């Protein structure tokens, strides 16, 4: 599935990515089935742009990130970085790429070593990569702290001395320390106060413009995604069910699950909805046995007999807009 419109060669291309985890039971821990955490995922990330990966908890977003970072091995599919197939590289072969693909974690406190000063944490990657000697490394640390809005004196302090927002700035500085081209942002603001979230998002946007960074932005906060991302992929049960430019997806969502996600966004001043935000429209419909039913069949208010018989492929419904749905409306 082509998603680049030919304007630029993608920095990262993912095709048919799969990761299944065995489900074991009994005293002998026999494998009885597989959890399809990532089930045939395709997407591109263009240099200097942000791809949003959204969906509710457990849909496979973080597993995708771990596969891209080689923290997990894919069962199938291809990951191409700068046109090189990196899917089957050994850990030793992949190590040089760790400089170019970095991550900003959800919890800024647990991602920083409490026994290391901020300066040591930021400079550790620089030291390991051999990018600068000791004197130059300190200058680099000071420059990085300034880039993320932190004073140079922060270098000698420890993570527990900072607020959550400040720690996330430090985490971003650490990710930038080795001059990456791609940064995976795994729910980077979800653990922060709402008042601080906007500051971090604006910082990420400013850094992207200044350094021509590419982001994979993993989130369940659609308000943030609509502001930051150029393109959005919606995941449900390990599969991408809709992919489109951000403006198109928010203006004209085509998949029922995307509609449900957008309906769950609370407008300022509105009353919080009771129950799960995706409960509206759910049914008690049960799929027929032994058929490859659409994964959203038992919840979709628009399900048809075709949905009970088979799952739709990802079909183009508008320029650069793809949907996995028989209805496609």
């Amino acid at each position: 599935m082509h998603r680049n419109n030919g304007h630029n060669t993608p920095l990262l291309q993912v095709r048919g990515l799969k990761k299944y985890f065995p489900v074991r039971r009994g005293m002998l821990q026999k494998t009885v089935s597989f959890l399809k955490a990532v089930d045939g995922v395709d997407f591109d990330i263009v240099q200097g742009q942000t791809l949003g990966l959204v969906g509710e908890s457990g849909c496979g977003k973080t597993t995708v990130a771990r596969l891209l970072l080689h923290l997990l091995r894919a069962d199938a599919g291809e990951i191409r970085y700068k046109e090189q197939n990196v899917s089957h590289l050994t850990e030793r072969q992949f190590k040089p790429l760790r400089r170019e693909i970095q991550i900003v974690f959800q919890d800024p406190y647990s991602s920083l070593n409490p026994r290391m000063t901020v300066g040591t944490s930021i400079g550790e990657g620089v030291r390991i990569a051999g990018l600068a000697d000791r004197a130059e490394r300190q200058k680099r640390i000071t420059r990085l702290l300034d880039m993320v809005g932190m004073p140079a004196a922060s270098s000698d302090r420890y993570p527990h001395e900072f607020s959550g927002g400040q720690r996330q700035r430090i985490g971003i500085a650490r990710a930038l320390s080795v001059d990456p081209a791609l940064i995976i942002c795994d729910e980077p603001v979800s653990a922060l106060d709402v008042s601080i979230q906007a500051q971090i998002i604006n910082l990420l946007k400013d850094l992207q413009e200044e350094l021509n960074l590419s982001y994979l932005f993993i989130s369940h906060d659609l308000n943030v995604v609509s502001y930051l991302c150029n393109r959005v992929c919606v995941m449900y049960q390990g599969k991408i069910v809709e992919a489109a430019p951000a403006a198109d997806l928010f203006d004209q969502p085509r998949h029922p699950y995307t509609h449900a996600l957008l309906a769950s966004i609370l407008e300022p001043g509105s009353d919080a909805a009771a129950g799960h935000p995706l409960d509206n429209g759910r049914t008690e419909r049960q799929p027929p046995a032994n058929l490859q039913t659409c994964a959203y069949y038992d919840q979709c208010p628009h399900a048809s007999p075709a949905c009970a018989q088979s799952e739709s492929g990802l079909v183009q419904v508008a320029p650069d807009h793809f949907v996995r749905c028989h209805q496609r409306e």
Side-chain angles (χ1 to χ4, degrees):
M1 179 176 57
H2 184 66
R3 294 181 184 73
N4 189 35
N5 287 336
H7 298 316
N8 295 289
T9 300
L11 177 69
L12 184 82
Q13 296 171 287
V14 173
R15 295 292 180 270
L17 194 64
K18 294 185 179 182
K19 183 62 182 179
Y20 295 177
F21 294 103
V23 178
R24 296 185 172 93
R25 291 180 183 162
M27 291 183 62
L28 300 179
Q29 289 294 285
K30 183 179 178 181
T31 299
V32 295
S33 64
F34 288 89
L35 172 64
K36 298 180 180 181
V38 178
D39 193 15
V41 165
D42 299 351
F43 60 79
D44 293 346
I45 300 179
V46 176
Q47 181 69 51
Q49 294 190 6
T50 302
L51 174 72
L53 194 58
V54 304
E56 56 192 341
S57 296
C59 70
K61 306 187 299 294
T62 297
T63 302
V64 168
R66 295 175 70 188
L67 291 169
L68 298 183
L69 291 164
H70 264 228
L71 300 177
L72 288 174
R73 287 284 183 168
D75 294 324
E78 184 175 277
I79 301 169
R80 299 188 72 86
Y81 177 74
K82 292 184 176 179
E83 301 189 65
Q84 175 191 2
N85 186 350
V86 301
S87 310
H88 305 296
L89 296 184
T90 65
E91 180 59 30
R92 187 172 185 176
Q93 292 170 329
F94 190 79
K95 188 174 181 180
L97 293 178
R98 294 199 182 281
R99 273 187 53 193
E100 300 195 39
I101 306 175
Q102 288 288 300
I103 185 168
V104 175
F105 295 95
Q106 177 178 5
D107 184 351
Y109 186 70
S110 63
S111 66
L112 294 170
N113 189 329
R115 298 187 179 186
M116 281 187 178
T117 64
V118 164
T120 303
S121 289
I122 295 174
E124 186 74 358
V126 179
R127 182 188 65 78
I128 293 172
L131 297 178
D133 59 25
R134 182 184 294 270
E136 180 58 33
R137 191 157 66 240
Q138 188 55 51
K139 293 178 183 178
R140 192 184 188 104
I141 292 167
T142 301
R143 185 168 64 251
L144 286 163
L145 286 169
D146 181 65
M147 288 175 65
V148 299
M150 295 292 290
S154 305
S155 177
D156 297 324
R157 297 166 63 188
Y158 289 86
H160 73 270
E161 300 179 65
F162 297 94
S163 67
Q166 290 172 324
R167 285 194 290 262
Q168 195 60 290
R169 289 175 185 270
I170 293 164
I172 293 169
R174 184 179 60 179
L176 293 174
S177 67
V178 289
D179 299 326
L182 171 64
I183 297 180
I184 298 172
C185 303
D186 188 4
E187 301 272 11
V189 297
S190 64
L192 305 178
D193 292 339
V194 175
S195 60
I196 305 299
Q197 289 182 6
Q199 297 176 21
I200 300 300
I201 292 301
N202 285 327
L203 172 64
L204 289 171
K205 201 173 184 69
D206 291 344
L207 290 169
Q208 182 175 49
E209 293 175 0
E210 180 181 349
L211 303 173
N212 195 31
L213 295 169
S214 302
Y215 295 140
L216 173 62
F217 192 85
I218 297 171
S219 181
H220 64 273
D221 189 331
L222 296 179
N223 287 312
V224 172
V225 168
S226 66
Y227 175 70
L228 188 66
C229 298
N230 303 95
R231 183 173 182 79
V232 180
C233 292
V234 180
M235 281 192 74
Y236 183 76
Q237 291 193 11
K239 294 185 177 183
I240 290 177
V241 296
E242 186 161 6
D248 294 348
L249 185 130
F250 283 90
D251 289 343
Q252 290 186 309
R254 298 295 190 91
H255 196 281
Y257 177 67
T258 309
H259 278 280
L261 281 178
L262 293 175
S264 72
I265 301 176
L266 297 178
E267 295 295 331
S270 67
D271 294 330
H276 193 284
L278 302 183
D279 279 343
N280 292 336
R282 289 196 176 197
T283 72
E284 297 301 322
R285 186 188 302 111
Q286 292 299 314
N290 302 319
L291 289 177
Q292 186 62 36
T293 305
C294 171
Y296 199 59
Y297 176 79
D298 64 336
Q299 301 176 38
C300 180
H302 308 294
S304 69
C307 305
Q309 296 296 318
S310 65
E311 183 177 54
S312 169
L314 208 53
V315 178
Q316 185 167 353
V317 294
D320 212 22
H321 193 150
F322 299 81
V323 181
R324 188 185 300 278
C325 182
H326 286 296
Q327 307 301 320
R328 297 171 197 150
E329 296 295 338

